[in-house]
Amino acid sequence: MTEHMNLFENVNRQFDEAADVLGFSQEMRELLKTPYREITVAMPIRMEDGSLKIFKGYRVQHNGVRGPQKGGIRYHPDVDLDDVRALASLMTWKTAVVNIPFGGAKGGVQCDPSKMSPHELEMLTRRYISKISMVLGPTRDVPAPDVNTNAQTMAWVMDEYGRKNGYQPACVTGKPLELGGSQGREAATGRGVAIVTREAYEGVLGHPLQGARVVLQGFGNVGSFAARFLAELGARVVAVTDHAGSVQKAEGLDVPALTAHAHAHQGTVAGFPGGEPFDPAAVWGQDCDILIPAAMGGVLTKDTAPMVKASLIVEGANAPTTPEADRIFQARGILLIPDILANAGGVTVSYFEWVQNLQQFFWDEAEVFEKEEKIMVQAFRDVHEQVKRHGCTWRTGAFVLALERVKRATELRGW
Ligand code: NAD
């Protein structure tokens, strides 16, 4: 079994470390670990070549004691129930860390969107939503985009849900602006990553962000916006790598130019003329102060962790660090800001989108950014308090904060 295949086990190991700190009973652990509802559905689709294909889809609702369940829908050939379960549980802890009134869920469909036409993707999305729509809704479970799904996918989700339930834009977030999406949602996760990086590097480590060297894996939604905001704060983005290439420049890459290049070249930084290419495998050992994994899970392992030269790691991606790598970073004194805090800016602005949809009253980008910053900085301080109180890692501190909040809500509601 690969490290990645143990995702649910890994999340539960992180849960247990925090539950140990809090002295949780075995009963409370089981209650909070066990998903509330798991659905598996089959979607038969007539493909454009005339063949019939049967796709498998999942929706796991992990916990809803603090509000409607919330989490993305992922389209990927390797999606399985265990991963979806792990990612749903991470959403429960993430929404609790930033203290927004949502629980945790996740959806997944086993498919390869790169081999499907837009029409086939629309049919698949509609069939998937029609099969799970009875457990969705603005007060039940509110999906959002994740890997390989986007604003267009969410528009189909809203439309399909609306066929049975009427016009309810608050049933899904990450929608196009024209259909009730929020200003600032696209930039929100990367912006949150940049805010948390500033708080950690300046506030905790005591170094100025001005001139600090940043390396990123991934230059998609999360990576490119994190790079943009960090460059605006004075940091130097010295190396970036993605699925197709990599580029470095010691004096700092021109991030807006790199973003424009990626947009014009199927999303990749490969071939950017404003820097030099390097071996993508060498990304973890790049000389830098701040390292931001913003692509895939399970990349910081017992093999790559010893190479890291940064003094700060900020998890833009979900679950990029294995437990073995966590221990290595802890032993080496490298500060690691965990995913459930670092990349929570996305779900925070999804919450704003839901609020705006319920009120049918919209905010401008400056208001969204200001409110996001307030929540991210508060969550950062709340986790820091736990770290100081328990002398634990930031990952355990974030879990402690989340577990306490979910436990308290559970006790108040009863079961
Ligand atoms: P994206 O698809 O926009 O970008 C992914 C990036 O990763 C691309 O630059 C791609 O080239 C790169 N990549 C893919 N495979 C790679 C490989 N093998 N080696 C190196 N780079 C590779 O995705 P995103 O929305 O930016 O999400 C990135 C991560 O952040 C994911 O783990 C996702 O779950 C997490 N995340 C995203 C959001 C959000 O709001 N988008 C919120 C929270 C967490």
Side-chain angles (χ1 to χ4, degrees):
M1 251 209 247
T2 66
E3 285 172 296
H4 176 66
M5 283 167 77
N6 286 314
L7 203 55
F8 192 50
E9 220 172 275
N10 289 352
V11 173
N12 282 338
R13 223 184 295 183
Q14 294 164 358
F15 175 105
D16 276 326
E17 272 181 37
D20 289 345
V21 170
L22 291 166
F24 271 17
S25 67
Q26 205 51 41
E27 277 182 355
M28 185 52 72
R29 289 175 200 236
E30 294 227 350
L31 187 64
L32 298 192
K33 276 183 190 174
T34 311
Y36 168 77
R37 183 189 270 141
E38 301 185 348
I39 299 182
T40 303
V41 289
M43 285 86 67
I45 303 291
R46 183 67 69 190
M47 306 298 278
E48 278 172 12
D49 66 3
S51 67
L52 184 76
K53 254 198 165 153
I54 299 165
F55 294 91
K56 223 177 199 179
Y58 308 100
R59 185 74 184 169
V60 174
Q61 297 175 334
H62 178 262
N63 189 294
V65 296
R66 298 181 60 265
Q69 325 242 6
K70 186 93 194 76
I73 298 171
R74 173 173 294 205
Y75 286 178
H76 199 279
D78 300 335
V79 160
D80 66 35
L81 186 56
D82 194 60
D83 279 359
V84 178
R85 220 177 251 148
L87 294 163
S89 135
L90 276 180
M91 287 305 294
T92 298
W93 316 125
K94 192 178 298 185
T95 51
V97 165
V98 284
N99 211 6
I100 56 175
F102 282 126
K106 203 79 176 189
V109 175
Q110 242 177 42
C111 66
D112 185 350
S114 69
K115 299 203 173 87
M116 295 171 69
S117 72
H119 177 71
E120 288 166 347
L121 278 172
E122 179 178 347
M123 291 304 108
L124 179 61
T125 303
R126 289 186 182 280
R127 194 57 66 87
Y128 171 61
I129 293 304
S130 87
K131 291 219 162 169
I132 63 170
S133 69
M134 71 290 264
V135 297
L136 301 180
T139 61
R140 291 178 177 274
D141 180 353
V142 185
D146 192 68
V147 176
N148 291 328
T149 57
N150 54 30
Q152 173 62 75
T153 325
M154 299 308 112
W156 293 326
V157 170
M158 176 182 130
D159 190 75
E160 188 62 31
Y161 181 81
R163 280 156 65 99
K164 283 186 196 140
N165 302 284
Y167 175 68
Q168 290 195 38
C171 73
V172 59
T173 62
K175 299 180 293 295
L177 283 173
E178 298 88 332
L179 293 178
S182 178
Q183 296 289 345
R185 173 62 187 91
E186 203 194 349
T189 308
R191 190 175 161 80
V193 168
I195 291 167
V196 162
T197 304
R198 180 196 68 203
E199 295 298 305
Y201 199 66
E202 298 197 329
V204 179
L205 295 179
H207 305 312
L209 202 51
Q210 186 69 39
R213 296 160 306 161
V214 180
V215 168
L216 293 122
Q217 185 198 40
F219 200 70
N221 176 272
V222 179
S224 67
F225 280 107
R228 183 180 123 187
F229 292 114
L230 283 168
E232 283 175 14
L233 290 168
R236 269 185 294 157
V237 176
V238 294
V240 174
T241 171
D242 68 19
H243 69 284
S246 52
V247 60
Q248 62 179 351
K249 188 177 182 186
E251 308 81 63
L253 293 156
D254 177 343
V255 176
L258 184 60
T259 307
H261 173 90
H263 282 157
H265 295 85
Q266 287 101 40
T268 179
V269 301
F272 180 59
E276 298 299 319
F278 66 97
D279 175 10
V283 66
W284 309 117
Q286 285 278 327
D287 226 348
C288 67
D289 304 302
I290 300 165
L291 178 65
I292 304 183
M296 306 167 313
V299 289
L300 291 167
T301 63
K302 61 181 186 329
D303 300 322
T304 54
M307 302 178 197
V308 170
K309 297 202 174 73
S311 55
L312 172 65
I313 298 168
V314 180
E315 293 185 333
N318 282 320
T321 310
T322 65
E324 292 81 358
D326 253 336
R327 280 192 284 277
I328 293 169
F329 294 138
Q330 196 181 351
R332 293 185 57 205
I334 296 173
L335 175 59
L336 183 147
I337 306 297
D339 46 10
I340 59 171
L341 171 61
N343 67 31
V347 73
T348 298
V349 176
S350 272
Y351 161 54
F352 298 158
E353 181 174 334
W354 179 78
V355 170
Q356 292 169 82
N357 290 153
L358 290 176
Q359 302 182 347
Q360 281 300 303
F361 184 75
F362 289 88
W363 314 338
D364 61 23
E365 189 186 67
E367 189 171 355
V368 169
F369 280 172
E370 190 197 319
K371 286 183 158 77
E372 178 190 4
E373 175 143 2
K374 210 169 157 191
I375 287 190
M376 292 305 294
V377 169
Q378 186 60 52
F380 189 90
R381 289 183 184 152
D382 289 349
V383 174
H384 199 183
E385 271 308 306
Q386 301 296 338
V387 169
K388 285 189 273 190
R389 184 175 309 161
H390 301 293
C392 59
T393 63
W394 279 68
R395 191 183 309 283
T396 299
F399 268 84
V400 164
L401 179 66
L403 261 57
E404 266 186 332
R405 285 179 174 159
V406 177
K407 173 175 178 264
R408 181 78 187 125
T410 305
E411 287 166 347
L412 285 167
R413 288 178 64 147
W415 55 85

